[in-house]
Amino acid sequence: MQKVTLIPGDGIGPEITQVVKDIFEYMKVPIQWEEVEAGEHVIKDYGTPLPEYVIASIKRNKIALKGPITTPVAKGFRSVNVTLREQLNLFANLRPIKSLKAINSKFENVDLIIVRENTEDLYKGIEYKIEDIATSIRIITRKASEKIGWFTFNYAKKNNRKKVTAVHKANILKLGDGLFLDAIRNISKEFSDIEYEEKIVDNMSMQLVMNPEKYDVIVAPNLFGDILSDLAAGLIGGLGLAPGANIGDDVAVFEAVHGSAPDIANQGIANPIAILRSSIMLLDYLNLSDYAKQLESAIEKSLFDKNVLTPDLNGNGNTLTLKNKIISFLS
Ligand code: ATP
């Protein structure tokens, strides 16, 4: 049976990953979890939020489901998420943003794929400070830009997508984003059946909140991709609904777009839909598409009942009521 590394994580992580475990068990999904701990709560035992055995487990199984992990601010630790992406060379962050019929948000037909470059840009974390002058270095390479470009267009082709929009700020960052754009533009020429356009990030932000239906696949450098993903999550009803995947050449780590939400942890009210939708992406990745479809349909049906929805969706329920409702629609 396929083994999958499971990292519950911090904050609401254990509550929402438990929902995935319970539902997969109910559905008898043919995978075996290998549960490992990472995050703020393991620092006292391991001296690091990301113990070596966690990386080893993902390298062995080549696939993981990860709850959100908190990086302690200003304690000298690098972000666990960034370290994982670097060490496993998870170069693409794939974030589908799709409207759900039952959720009353301002837009009904959003169906976007945001592809975020995952390994460089400001996330290299190269910074200097001399007295009161801080410098943050933004790295963009042709190699990483081409890698994300090929990934984006191949994904678009495989999934029958019609248009790719490259997001940038090359009018100001002439060298960095100029290089990123040049790489993506060259690759676009190999895919004549896919429309290609470029948008400056500030204009893209406005376009997305006015006409999100006009966009299909968006490819962006790391920081712009991160910001646009949260913005886009807001278009479909919030962070509690937006899934994601970090993809490498032969390893994939699935996780929700949201963070550990410490403000609502341990209250039983976290929305499990984002991590469940991430687990659907995981099922598809493992070619367990029948299970993926079944779960997707059960989620869609359950969201019509306001009494079971979590408070972030203006519902009167909690994590457990939503889980039970989803289970009631399975088989
Ligand atoms: P990070 O920097 O790790 O991405 P963040 O500071 O952006 O984290 P989140 O943890 O993502 O913040 O939370 C942002 C807001 O969204 C918080 O108010 C949080 O309670 C809410 N939120 C995030 N995820 C969920 C969820 N699954 N269910 C309900 N509310 C959520």
Side-chain angles (χ1 to χ4, degrees):
M1 200 175 323
Q2 170 75 48
K3 274 193 175 175
V4 177
T5 300
L6 177 73
I7 309 170
D10 291 312
I12 59 172
E15 300 167 62
I16 56 174
T17 49
Q18 185 62 46
V19 173
V20 178
K21 280 200 289 182
D22 291 348
I23 289 183
F24 274 30
E25 192 183 337
Y26 183 85
M27 296 176 77
K28 299 193 169 51
V29 175
I31 63 157
Q32 191 187 340
W33 298 115
E34 184 172 293
E35 196 162 323
V36 291
E37 291 292 335
E40 209 168 20
H41 61 285
V42 305
I43 296 176
K44 60 178 185 331
D45 290 334
Y46 292 93
T48 165
L50 184 60
E52 197 45 53
Y53 82 98
V54 174
I55 305 256
S57 166
I58 304 174
K59 281 188 175 159
R60 203 168 43 244
N61 297 327
K62 305 205 179 315
I63 183 159
L65 182 71
K66 177 183 148 305
I69 291 181
T70 311
T71 300
V73 179
K75 286 191 191 152
F77 295 110
R78 270 203 90 195
S79 157
V80 171
N81 301 316
V82 173
T83 311
L84 258 184
R85 290 165 189 167
E86 267 179 13
Q87 292 210 8
L88 300 168
N89 194 22
L90 302 168
F91 62 89
N93 194 340
L94 189 63
R95 293 175 156 181
I97 304 282
K98 195 168 191 305
S99 300
L100 287 153
K101 275 198 191 71
I103 301 296
N104 256 338
S105 57
K106 291 197 183 71
F107 303 97
E108 283 172 6
N109 297 314
V110 180
D111 186 5
L112 292 170
I113 303 289
I114 296 182
V115 183
R116 167 188 174 196
E117 199 290 321
N118 225 4
T119 61
E120 51 184 32
D121 193 337
L122 286 170
Y123 289 72
K124 282 277 184 202
I126 305 170
E127 295 192 295
Y128 306 96
K129 188 159 176 270
I130 300 171
E131 296 187 348
D132 279 347
I133 300 178
T135 307
S136 309
I137 309 272
R138 185 166 182 266
I139 307 273
I140 303 279
T141 64
R142 186 171 294 279
K143 193 173 169 205
S145 304
E146 283 180 349
K147 189 122 179 142
I148 203 69
W150 282 112
F151 176 88
T152 304
F153 277 93
N154 282 325
Y155 179 92
K157 188 171 178 186
K158 193 169 163 214
N159 292 279
N160 210 12
R161 295 277 174 164
K162 305 287 177 243
K163 182 166 84 170
V164 169
T165 306
V167 176
H168 65 96
K169 188 74 185 172
N171 50 334
I172 303 296
L173 302 165
K174 293 180 196 299
L175 298 183
D177 276 9
L179 176 56
F180 178 79
L181 270 191
D182 188 57
I184 307 283
R185 196 180 294 150
N186 284 338
I187 292 163
S188 76
K189 293 176 186 148
E190 309 283 327
F191 294 81
S192 53
D193 45 346
I194 298 174
E195 188 188 335
Y196 173 68
E197 64 175 10
E198 296 167 356
K199 284 263 181 297
I200 297 179
V201 62
D202 32 359
N203 181 23
M204 185 77 234
S205 310
M206 183 194 70
Q207 297 291 338
L208 274 181
V209 292
M210 291 190 72
N211 301 304
E213 302 94 341
K214 284 192 181 161
Y215 297 91
D216 192 351
V217 178
I218 292 173
V219 59
N222 209 335
L223 181 63
F224 299 156
D226 193 23
I227 297 170
L228 289 179
S229 313
D230 271 33
L231 183 154
L235 301 172
I236 58 155
L239 279 173
L241 300 172
N246 299 288
I247 312 266
D249 284 325
D250 62 348
V251 180
V253 176
F254 296 81
E255 64 179 343
V257 170
H258 63 69
S260 58
D263 52 333
I264 57 160
N266 302 314
Q267 295 174 35
I269 55 168
N271 186 345
I273 300 297
I275 194 85
L276 280 168
R277 286 176 118 186
S278 309
S279 78
I280 291 174
M281 293 173 78
L282 179 147
L283 290 170
D284 277 326
Y285 183 87
L286 289 174
N287 289 323
L288 295 169
S289 303
D290 288 349
Y291 292 92
K293 281 198 192 84
Q294 232 190 332
L295 180 52
E296 194 169 9
S297 151
I299 288 174
E300 274 170 19
K301 289 178 194 152
S302 64
L303 292 176
F304 284 100
D305 183 354
K306 254 202 142 65
N307 285 323
V308 304
L309 296 186
T310 46
D312 59 304
L313 299 175
N314 298 319
N316 306 317
N318 53 43
T319 314
L320 190 63
T321 57
L322 186 48
K323 177 186 89 176
N324 288 340
K325 190 74 180 182
I326 294 168
I327 288 178
S328 77
F329 284 113
L330 288 166
S331 79

